[in-house]
Amino acid sequence: DAGVIQSPRHEVTEMGQEVTLRCKPISGHNSLFWYRQTMMRGLELLIYFNNNVPIDDSGMPEDRFSAKMPNASFSTLKIQPSEPRDSAVYFCASSSTKRTGYEQYFGPGTRLTVT
Amino acid sequence: AQSVTQPDIHITVSEGASLELRCNYSYGATPYLFWYVQSPGQGLQLLLKYFSGDTLVQGIKGFEAEFKRSQSSFNLRKPSVHWSDAAEYFCAVGPPGAGSYQLTFGKGTKLSVIP
């Protein structure tokens, strides 16, 4: 049974470039979460979707960040333009709200380095 | 607003010794409680969860946790640590019942194991 899939696993880009991170949630899950993890700030929730609809994007740092979920099996997180302070590990997680016990299942993460 | 405190940033134990990682939460009602583990370069993996009922819950990899309502705590324990347990451990809380699925994570406790 495939878990949450993220791509790429590593991304190195120059300041000012556009970065797109991709996530495929577990089949049948209807909630999807994007997190950012840094040494300084720990694990931060950026945005979460329920049934493909953004529910809470209050964690998105600024307008340079955007996220979409065009269907139940795919989501993207885009940073445009990227800045060195965006360097972090970005995790996608999914869960099911259709039953009690909505533990989140995490992908392996994308390590982003902006130079 | 809910919050999670993991008072120990870093703990070092000898292999074979017992382990207890502390977690305290602040919440208006009894939340759903989770412990996750993150191995280096990996995503977060669910160790165990508490929703209701028996306050001592068993998880994977020989871990257990005890919910103590009077102390607002959910400490993680293992009777005998293995070198492979070296990782970072995160406590998380979420609102009880269905309807909202956001988790609040603690800052994490890094566990080092001495052979």
Side-chain angles (χ1 to χ4, degrees):
Chain A
D1 187 18
V4 175
I5 299 172
Q6 291 187 247
S7 65
R9 293 293 310 275
H10 301 274
E11 177 79 39
V12 180
T13 191
E14 293 183 347
M15 182 175 61
Q17 296 299 306
E18 177 181 294
V19 175
T20 299
L21 311 182
R22 298 173 176 80
C23 175
K24 177 178 170 57
I26 292 173
S27 177
H29 282 189
N30 62 339
S31 283
L32 184 139
F33 305 80
W34 282 101
Y35 290 90
R36 178 172 66 178
Q37 186 179 42
T38 61
M39 291 289 292
M40 292 296 295
R41 301 172 70 93
L43 195 64
E44 303 174 277
L45 177 65
L46 299 178
I47 186 171
Y48 93 91
F49 295 85
N50 192 40
N51 295 325
N52 310 338
V53 175
I55 302 300
D56 185 350
D57 65 355
S58 60
M60 296 285 263
E62 49 198 274
D63 292 345
R64 297 185 296 107
F65 285 68
S66 62
K68 295 182 179 179
M69 192 165 187
N71 57 61
S73 59
F74 184 65
S75 177
T76 60
L77 178 67
K78 185 177 294 186
I79 308 172
Q80 166 63 20
S82 58
E83 296 183 2
R85 60 193 169 116
D86 301 330
S87 297
V89 181
Y90 291 82
F91 289 104
C92 176
S94 70
S95 69
S96 172
T97 64
K98 298 172 186 173
R99 56 184 176 85
T100 302
Y102 48 89
E103 59 263 34
Q104 295 179 18
Y105 294 83
F106 282 74
T110 295
R111 181 173 295 277
L112 173 64
T113 303
V114 183
T115 61
Chain B
Q2 61 265 34
S3 66
V4 179
T5 302
Q6 293 181 247
D8 303 306
I9 296 174
H10 191 187
I11 285 182
T12 300
V13 300
S14 298
E15 192 169 16
S18 64
L19 171 70
E20 182 169 29
L21 302 182
R22 296 182 290 165
C23 173
N24 294 96
Y25 65 88
S26 174
Y27 204 82
T30 298
Y32 286 179
L33 296 156
F34 307 82
W35 274 100
Y36 284 83
V37 61
Q38 183 180 25
S39 297
Q42 304 295 316
L44 279 69
Q45 180 185 19
L46 181 69
L47 279 177
L48 49 78
K49 59 191 178 187
Y50 172 79
F51 295 149
S52 63
D54 192 345
T55 57
L56 185 64
V57 294
Q58 303 297 320
I60 62 171
K61 305 185 180 189
F63 285 92
E64 66 179 25
E66 185 172 14
F67 167 62
K68 292 186 177 180
R69 185 191 308 273
S70 60
Q71 299 177 18
S72 297
S73 69
F74 188 56
N75 294 348
L76 182 71
R77 301 195 295 245
K78 187 169 185 178
S80 177
V81 170
H82 188 263
W83 64 266
S84 61
D85 294 324
E88 190 154 19
Y89 293 80
F90 294 88
C91 181
V93 302
S100 177
Y101 316 105
Q102 290 178 276
L103 297 182
T104 300
F105 285 84
K107 296 292 187 186
T109 297
K110 185 175 182 180
L111 174 66
S112 297
V113 180
I114 301 173

